[in-house]
Amino acid sequence: QQPVQSPQAVILREGEDAVINCSSSKALYSVHWYRQKHGEAPVFLMILLKGGEQKGHDKISASFNEKKQQSSLYLTASQLSYSGTYFCGTESRYGQNFVFGPGTRLSVLP
Amino acid sequence: DVKVTQSSRYLVKRTGEKVFLECVQDMDHENMFWYRQDPGLGLRLIYFSYDVKMKEKGDIPEGYSVSREKKERFSLILESASTNQTSMYLCASRTSGRRYNEQFFGPGTRLTVL
C-alpha cells in the first residue's frame, strides 16, 4: 500500500525551512527519500533503517518514528537547487514490498 | 559511479504495436525495477527482478511483461500497446545483501502511444 506524503506541494523563499512527511499503515523496515528535478531521474537522498541507522547527504536530515511508521525530511536554509519533487519509498521487509509515495512538489523562490 | 541506461529517451508507437524498453546497468546489481510515472501518482512498480530469470509482479503488471536473461539487462515489453500506456517509464537497479540498498535510476523513456 502506497505511503501518504504531506504536504502535496510547498513554496518557499530561499533560506526558509521545510518539512516533508511520509506515513505508512504498515510496520516498516526502511524509509528512503529521493528527489527528482523536472525532466530528470530521481536521485537518492537518504535511507533510514529500523533500529536507527541512516545514510545520506550531510546537508539533509530526516527522522524515522518506527512506532508510528512515519518519517520526516527536514530541509533547512533552503537553496534554489532544492526545488523538485520529493518521494519517500517504504519497505516493510528487507528487500521486499518497496513502494513509493505520490510525491511532494517543492518550489524554492529567490 | 553507477550507471543505468535506457534504450530511448523518447518513443512514439501506434496502438497494437509490440514495444520493447531496454535497461542496462553496469554495477553488477542483483535487483532491477521497472516503474511507470504519471502526474500525481508517483512512481508505480510494474515489475521487479531480484536476479537473472527471476521476476515478480508489482502493483500494475497488467499489459506488461519482462525479461531478464542477463544480470545487467532488464527489458519491459508491451505486448500490444494501448493509449493508456502513454507514460514515463523509469528503470532502476540496486544491490542486495547490504543494509543500505538505495536505488539508482536511469534517465527514463517517455512513451507516447497514438
Side-chain angles (χ1 to χ4, degrees):
Chain A
Q1 192 168 0
Q2 192 177 48
V4 176
Q5 286 187 237
S6 63
Q8 288 187 326
V10 59
I11 300 174
L12 300 174
R13 294 278 177 192
E14 248 184 316
E16 292 181 337
D17 302 338
V19 180
I20 300 173
N21 301 299
C22 174
S23 64
S24 173
S25 59
K26 292 184 171 183
L28 298 177
Y29 167 78
S30 70
V31 179
H32 298 214
W33 287 96
Y34 293 79
R35 176 171 62 212
Q36 184 178 30
K37 292 181 179 287
H38 183 69
E40 298 180 9
V43 173
F44 169 74
L45 294 176
M46 293 280 296
I47 180 171
L48 302 104
L49 302 179
K50 186 177 175 179
E53 294 179 64
Q54 58 178 256
K55 170 192 168 186
H57 282 240
D58 53 10
K59 293 190 176 181
I60 293 176
S61 63
S63 63
F64 179 21
N65 185 325
E66 297 170 33
K67 290 184 180 177
K68 293 185 176 180
Q69 295 95 50
Q70 292 176 350
S71 177
S72 294
L73 186 71
Y74 305 99
L75 302 167
T76 56
S78 58
Q79 304 170 17
L80 296 175
S81 62
Y82 286 10
S83 292
T85 301
Y86 289 76
F87 293 99
C88 71
T90 60
E91 208 165 35
S92 53
R93 290 167 61 181
Y94 176 78
Q96 297 184 19
N97 308 114
F98 189 91
V99 61
F100 279 102
T104 294
R105 182 176 292 217
L106 179 77
S107 301
V108 181
L109 305 178
Chain B
D1 282 352
V2 174
K3 195 166 184 183
V4 181
T5 57
Q6 294 183 228
S7 48
S8 306
R9 289 300 303 271
Y10 300 93
L11 206 54
V12 180
K13 295 292 182 181
R14 295 223 174 256
T15 301
E17 282 192 83
K18 191 169 185 175
V19 181
F20 293 87
L21 302 182
E22 302 282 334
C23 175
V24 177
Q25 50 94 4
D26 67 356
M27 281 301 290
D28 204 36
H29 284 169
E30 292 82 10
N31 300 167
M32 295 186 76
F33 304 78
W34 274 108
Y35 293 95
R36 170 177 172 159
Q37 184 172 27
D38 300 289
L41 297 178
L43 293 94
R44 292 181 292 166
L45 182 64
I46 305 172
Y47 268 97
F48 164 52
S49 169
Y50 49 94
D51 213 332
V52 177
K53 296 191 189 291
M54 310 299 263
K55 62 185 179 185
E56 282 191 10
K57 292 181 181 180
D59 300 317
I60 51 165
E62 296 79 19
Y64 304 94
S65 62
V66 290
S67 171
R68 187 144 180 229
E69 296 296 317
K70 293 185 177 181
K71 194 172 186 180
E72 67 270 19
R73 188 179 298 267
F74 191 33
S75 302
L76 180 70
I77 303 153
L78 288 66
E79 295 289 340
S80 177
S82 63
T83 54
N84 63 11
Q85 292 178 310
T86 291
S87 187
M88 171 68 85
Y89 291 88
L90 287 160
C91 173
S93 74
R94 71 177 182 188
T95 190
S96 67
R98 267 181 27 194
R99 287 178 65 75
Y100 300 112
N101 58 348
E102 64 266 34
Q103 296 184 33
F104 296 87
F105 284 84
T109 296
R110 184 165 293 283
L111 173 67
T112 302
V113 183
L114 302 174

